[in-house]
Amino acid sequence: MREERTTIHGRGAADNPPNRFENRWHEIEPDDGDLDEVPAPSTQLLNDSSRTIIATNESPDIGFDASINPYRGCEHGCIYCYARPTHEYLGFSAGLDFETKILVKEDAPELLRRELGSPRWKPKTIALSGVTDAYQPVERRLRVTRRCLEVLAEFRNPVVIITKNRLVTRDQDLLAELANHRAAAVFLSVTTLDAGLARTLEPRASIPEFRLAAIAKLAAAGVPVGVLVAPVIPGLTDHELPAIIAAAAQAGAQFAGFTPIRLPLGVGPLFDDWLTRHFPDRKEKVLQRIKGLRGGRMNDSRFGSRMRGQGEFAEMIAQMFALACRKAGLAGRSTGLSTEAFRKPGAKQLSLFD
């Protein structure tokens, strides 16, 4: 990663570090040598030819074992995103490539209808946005996520959504329909209430004010909605945790969760570089506190630890969260979703996908 690279407007990363699976790479400098004049890379939409859409996992750390991701890569550009290394499996970089080369699963709704209609499918809650955000900016135009929601509403299969984008309110009609059958819940992820900090941390996600407004709008529509304070960044945003919980509860949130920052593989160096560019005075403090959560490392991938951290500082964050929830009258992450209303359309509707 070139240290002289400056911040790129609207992007979280400032460069493309080498793919960890590649042994050789070429780095091309701009002809005029003036890095400040390098134009911001535009977003490229690429076709994803996946033949299945429901992914499963066996992790004991998360509350779902089935998920849908209509997009690979995420234009929100959150510098801390744990999903960045997944782009390396596609031959790209975890840096700028992750937020500028977006793979689109155009066939996701048709694949979802086929999989839900299969005799092998046993109704269960599906997470929408298990890895990358299903409501990132390109969704406004492509509407792949909305079409997936239409299928879920058709089957009345329960869904939980995690997003940083107020665009989710566009689909409140479908979410309210599902909510009538205890089959929908939404988490708005809020990292900070500071709009300036949010613009550098999450350059193309909705600003905090709009996320709180989305909570209010969904709650008014009868959609169960909560807040996910994620990630909590020690030394940078952890002090905001009580204020975020209070603001979300005032907006109409009914439940809450939190996750400390985790920086797997190449995300650690990217976050280190981001701190150098934006918060050089706080960099060492932040990194040392993150390591204090992760057993002296930048990341700890062990089950039982990766989503909560360890040590005194992790315990302090957990206690702060619990106290904030009690004061705000919020429950834990449980959404109370049910599969009782699940149904399968008639054979005639499914014949095209058999």
Side-chain angles (χ1 to χ4, degrees), residues 217-258:
K217 191 170 183 179
L218 291 171
V223 179
V225 60
V227 63
L228 186 61
V229 187
V232 177
I233 306 175
L236 191 61
T237 68
D238 55 305
H239 65 284
E240 292 192 68
L241 199 155
I244 293 172
I245 295 294
Q250 185 175 5
Q254 299 167 286
F255 35 82
F258 81 97

Side-chain angles (χ1 to χ4, degrees), residues 150-342:
E150 290 172 346
V151 175
L152 289 166
E154 181 183 347
F155 283 80
R156 295 179 183 170
N157 195 96
V159 60
V160 60
I161 294 172
I162 304 169
T163 183
K164 284 182 165 64
N165 202 311
R166 65 172 174 174
L167 180 59
V168 66
T169 61
R170 177 201 64 188
D171 297 336
Q172 67 182 40
D173 57 332
L174 294 170
L175 293 168
E177 178 184 339
L178 281 161
N180 286 335
H181 303 287
R182 294 174 55 205
V186 177
F187 280 94
L188 267 296
S189 178
V190 181
T191 312
T192 175
L193 297 177
D194 183 332
L197 176 56
R199 276 192 293 270
T200 59
L201 266 176
E202 309 150 342
R204 299 197 180 194
S206 295
I207 62 173
E209 178 185 355
F210 290 166
R211 297 183 218 179
L212 293 174
I215 290 175
K217 191 170 183 179
L218 291 171
V223 179
V225 60
V227 63
L228 186 61
V229 187
V232 177
I233 306 175
L236 191 61
T237 68
D238 55 305
H239 65 284
E240 292 192 68
L241 199 155
I244 293 172
I245 295 294
Q250 185 175 5
Q254 299 167 286
F255 35 82
F258 81 97
T259 306
I261 191 170
R262 51 194 182 105
L263 303 169
L265 301 169
V267 187
L270 285 167
F271 188 72
D272 183 298
D273 176 71
W274 180 87
L275 286 170
T276 299
R277 288 183 284 116
H278 295 283
F279 294 97
D281 56 327
R282 297 195 219 176
K283 175 179 175 178
E284 291 308 315
K285 174 185 176 181
V286 173
L287 293 180
Q288 286 305 313
R289 289 198 173 180
I290 291 174
K291 290 177 181 177
L293 286 172
R294 302 300 181 186
R297 300 180 297 276
M298 292 285 274
N299 187 60
D300 181 1
S301 60
R302 293 177 301 166
F303 289 148
S305 175
R306 63 178 185 146
M307 304 299 284
R308 282 293 179 267
Q310 58 180 300
E312 294 182 1
F313 204 76
E315 184 59 30
M316 186 184 77
I317 292 174
Q319 291 177 0
M320 188 189 309
F321 170 78
L323 178 59
C325 286
R326 284 199 298 272
K327 286 184 175 180
L330 294 187
R333 290 196 188 191
S334 177
T335 56
L337 298 184
S338 170
T339 60
E340 290 181 3
F342 180 84

